[in-house]
């Protein structure tokens, strides 16, 4: 209902009202507007993270799972090293090099998410590469790339879509955590994690300040978790 950065000095830390259903923050900015804007930014970051990490991870997993041999050993040892680091810690290294910001956050988290997608796709390609339909495709003269991306990849989509939903889930939490620490989304953009960080000082005096950003994160995570479970059941 208001611009996320619009300041109303007379409404500082105001409680819930008809004009401001979620109340206002310490600068008099409408929390509902900032939660809506922050949710959009969080979903954008999660989508960018999954798109970047998933695209690179699928390519690595497909080539290593299909061809195996030295390529598999080299790339998967690199993935194992990356996977050994928590995604937040690996993202911190990238942010330290590139600096904080919206696009830097997406890039950092996308790189951190590559190993998980690569391992999932690799295992599916190893499972599928000796199946009858793949052998028939080879006998019919289909090339390796066609077999990989036309015949095998569509048969991994159920597992891959579930992994994407889990990736969205983890990306929402990771982006909120980075913004909470001040190295993710930067002002003046609204961010759910930064709102929680700002609300710490008013947690007991104005608990509504932290309630709605925190509840929004919980609902996003639960929503993507339910989608993932639904895809698994299918």
């Amino acid at each position: 209902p208001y611009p996320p950065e619009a300041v109303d000095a007379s409404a500082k830390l105001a409680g819930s009202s008809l004009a401001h259903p979620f109340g206002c923050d310490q600068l008099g900015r409408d929390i509902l507007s900032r939660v809506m804007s922050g949710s959009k930014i969080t979903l954008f970051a999660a989508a960018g993270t999954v798109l970047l990490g998933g695209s690179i991870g699928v390519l690595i997993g497909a080539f290593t799972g299909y061809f195996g041999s030295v390529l598999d050993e080299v790339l998967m040892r690199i993935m194992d090293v990356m996977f050994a680091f928590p995604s937040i810690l690996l993202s911190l290294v990238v942010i330290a090099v590139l600096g904080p910001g919206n696009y830097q956050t997406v890039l950092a988290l996308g790189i951190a998410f590559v190993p998980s997608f690569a391992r999932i796709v690799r295992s599916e390609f190893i499972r599928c590469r000796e199946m009858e339909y793949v052998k028939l495709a080879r006998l019919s003269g289909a090339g390796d790339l066609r077999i990989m991306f036309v015949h095998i990849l569509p048969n991994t989509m159920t597992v891959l879509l579930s992994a994407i939903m889990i990736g969205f889930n983890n990306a929402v939490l990771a982006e909120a955590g980075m913004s909470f620490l001040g190295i993710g989304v930067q002002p003046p953009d609204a961010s759910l994690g930064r709102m929680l960080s700002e609300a710490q000082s008013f947690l007991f005096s104005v608990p509504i300040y932290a309630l709605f950003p925190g509840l929004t994160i919980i609902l996003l995570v639960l929503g993507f978790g339910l989608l993932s479970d639904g895809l698994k059941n299918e």
Side-chain angles (χ1 to χ4, degrees), residues 42 175-177 179-181 191-198 217:
T42 295
E175 187 280 324
S179 296
F180 183 87
L181 296 173
S191 165
L192 298 176
R194 181 168 289 277
M195 291 177 71
L196 285 177
S197 179
E198 294 170 350
I217 292 173

Side-chain angles (χ1 to χ4, degrees), residues 198-216:
E198 294 170 350
Q200 283 185 103
S201 303
F202 311 97
L203 197 56
F204 295 104
S205 57
V206 191
I208 195 173
Y209 189 175
L211 173 63
F212 292 109
L215 186 61
T216 302

Side-chain angles (χ1 to χ4, degrees), residues 38 41-42 45-46 88 105 109 169-185 191-197 213-214 216-218 220-221:
I41 292 174
T42 295
I88 287 289
T105 299
L109 291 176
N169 195 326
N170 294 335
V172 168
L173 289 174
E175 187 280 324
M178 291 177 67
S179 296
F180 183 87
L181 296 173
I183 57 174
V185 176
S191 165
L192 298 176
R194 181 168 289 277
M195 291 177 71
L196 285 177
S197 179
T216 302
I217 292 173
I218 291 171
L220 286 173
V221 170

